């Protein structure tokens, strides 16, 4: 872990190990999202009606205000009623909800000493055991369901470029686990692209951010190029179940997991069109690469943007005819 300590400030600040990183990210992210634990009753005086002295003081201050008067706080006028993060970054009370909740997971071989993430339901049979083994190195960080909570989290975790060289981020929709065996994933597949680590270290953070913004903003199934139109809100799409980034000694890999995968990519179908649309948006709008440009060779990347079903990916001998390559 010496290299990790030298090159990274940790998940949320300078720490001495990846295990400490994964532990501290939760409390710091919650603090950034203005979620605090209830105060100890010993530290708060209660009156006979169960109200704290702080509540009584607030009522007193409000009663002393004349009609139309606005109370000032720290020299600033306090806006009454709903307040967005633009009105008050510290104490806003109005958030912008996402289409669905999302959960961030952190994966590393160095988290085994931390509390485990619950395994899938036993109803999954043998698949559950495989998922449970996979989840040994993965821990849940936090769940968020609003734009404000997302930025509070994103601004307080270490970016992918500074992750340990055997670490992963998994951003999963709703209660979907970061395992192919999860019912939401087992019939699906993934779009993926692999980048040489040293050549893309300066850009990987932006590419990861744009990927997760497209996922939580539900824009992966919008048109690209000249046909794109963001004037209307996108429809919620359950096709994307998660986005993942893998940091490895020699490369970074971005993945987009889908709920379904076409059985035969050579056979035209509505599902194939839908999956291909996601890949085109990923390549052109998220990565910023024109469709006619190949990433390998002229682009200098390790792979092109490729799709394969999870079932196909588990096979020892890969069949390129079962892939979609853009």
């Amino acid at each position: 872990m010496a290299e990790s300590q030298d090159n990274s400030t940790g998940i949320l600040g300078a720490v001495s190990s990846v295990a400490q990183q994964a532990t501290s990210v939760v409390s710091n992210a919650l603090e950034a999202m203005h979620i605090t634990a209830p105060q100890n009753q010993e530290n708060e005086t209660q009156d006979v009606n169960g109200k704290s002295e702080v509540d009584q003081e607030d009522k007193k201050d409000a009663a002393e205000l004349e009609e139309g008067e606005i109370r000032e706080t720290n020299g600033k006028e306090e806006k009454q009623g709903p307040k967005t993060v633009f009105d008050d970054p510290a104490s806003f009370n109005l958030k912008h909800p996402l289409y669905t909740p999302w959960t961030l997971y952190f994966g590393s071989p160095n988290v085994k000493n931390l509390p485990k993430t619950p395994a899938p339901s036993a109803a999954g049979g043998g698949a559950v055991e495989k998922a449970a083994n996979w989840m040994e190195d993965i821990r849940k960080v936090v769940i968020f369901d609003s734009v404000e909570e997302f930025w509070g989290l994103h601004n307080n975790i270490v970016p992918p470029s500074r992750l340990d060289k055997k670490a992963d981020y998994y951003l999963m929709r709703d209660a979907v686990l970061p395992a192919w065996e999860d019912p939401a994933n087992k019939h699906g597949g993934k779009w993926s692209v692999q980048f040489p680590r040293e050549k893309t270290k300066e850009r990987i953070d932006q590419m990861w951010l744009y990927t997760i913004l497209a996922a939580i903003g539900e824009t992966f199934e919008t048109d690209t190029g000249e046909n794109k139109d963001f004037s209307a809100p996108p429809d919620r799409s359950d096709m994307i179940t998660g986005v993942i980034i893998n940091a490895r000694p020699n490369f970074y890999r971005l993945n987009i997991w889908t709920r379904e995968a076409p059985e035969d990519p050579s056979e035209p179908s509505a599902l194939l069109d839908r999956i291909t649309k996601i890949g085109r948006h990923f390549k052109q709008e998220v990565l910023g690469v024109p469709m006619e440009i190949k990433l390998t060779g002229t682009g200098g990347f390790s792979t092109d943007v490729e799709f394969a079903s999870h079932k196909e990916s588990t096979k020892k001998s890969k069949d390129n005819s079962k892939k979609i390559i853009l």
Side-chain angles (χ1 to χ4, degrees), residues 121-136:
S121 167
V128 171
E129 295 181 3
K130 294 181 181 179
N133 293 335
W134 170 255
M135 296 293 289
E136 283 287 327

Side-chain angles (χ1 to χ4, degrees), residues 230-300:
F230 295 144
S231 60
D235 295 328
R236 171 186 168 180
S237 168
D238 283 337
M239 183 60 75
I240 305 295
T241 59
V243 291
I244 296 93
I245 187 164
N246 312 119
R248 296 295 181 268
N250 298 318
F251 64 86
Y252 297 105
R253 183 169 52 233
L254 274 173
N255 310 272
I256 304 168
W257 287 10
T258 63
R259 192 176 298 270
E260 299 178 66
E263 287 288 335
D264 185 354
S266 64
E267 289 292 328
S269 66
L271 177 58
L272 176 62
D273 291 343
R274 194 175 176 186
I275 294 298
T276 303
K277 192 173 189 178
I278 293 172
R280 291 175 64 88
H281 187 98
F282 181 41
K283 180 176 181 177
Q284 191 164 341
E285 303 300 329
V286 174
L287 302 181
V289 180
M291 291 304 303
E292 63 272 14
I293 299 296
K294 286 293 183 182
L295 294 179
T296 53
T298 55

Side-chain angles (χ1 to χ4, degrees), residues 173-277:
R173 183 190 296 275
D174 286 336
V176 178
L177 286 172
W180 293 352
E181 296 84 358
D182 187 284
N185 296 321
K186 65 180 182 179
H187 299 300
K190 66 175 180 178
W191 281 105
S192 64
V193 61
Q194 190 165 297
F195 312 97
R197 186 179 180 103
E198 294 306 317
K199 290 183 179 180
T200 55
K201 194 170 185 178
E202 299 300 321
R203 291 187 292 151
I204 192 63
D205 297 338
Q206 183 185 66
M207 289 188 285
W208 167 243
L209 174 60
Y210 287 1
T211 303
I212 55 182
L213 287 176
I216 68 176
E218 309 291 348
T219 61
F220 267 120
E221 292 195 65
T222 57
D223 289 324
T224 59
E226 297 179 356
N227 295 324
K228 64 182 177 183
D229 179 13
F230 295 144
S231 60
D235 295 328
R236 171 186 168 180
S237 168
D238 283 337
M239 183 60 75
I240 305 295
T241 59
V243 291
I244 296 93
I245 187 164
N246 312 119
R248 296 295 181 268
N250 298 318
F251 64 86
Y252 297 105
R253 183 169 52 233
L254 274 173
N255 310 272
I256 304 168
W257 287 10
T258 63
R259 192 176 298 270
E260 299 178 66
E263 287 288 335
D264 185 354
S266 64
E267 289 292 328
S269 66
L271 177 58
L272 176 62
D273 291 343
R274 194 175 176 186
I275 294 298
T276 303
K277 192 173 189 178

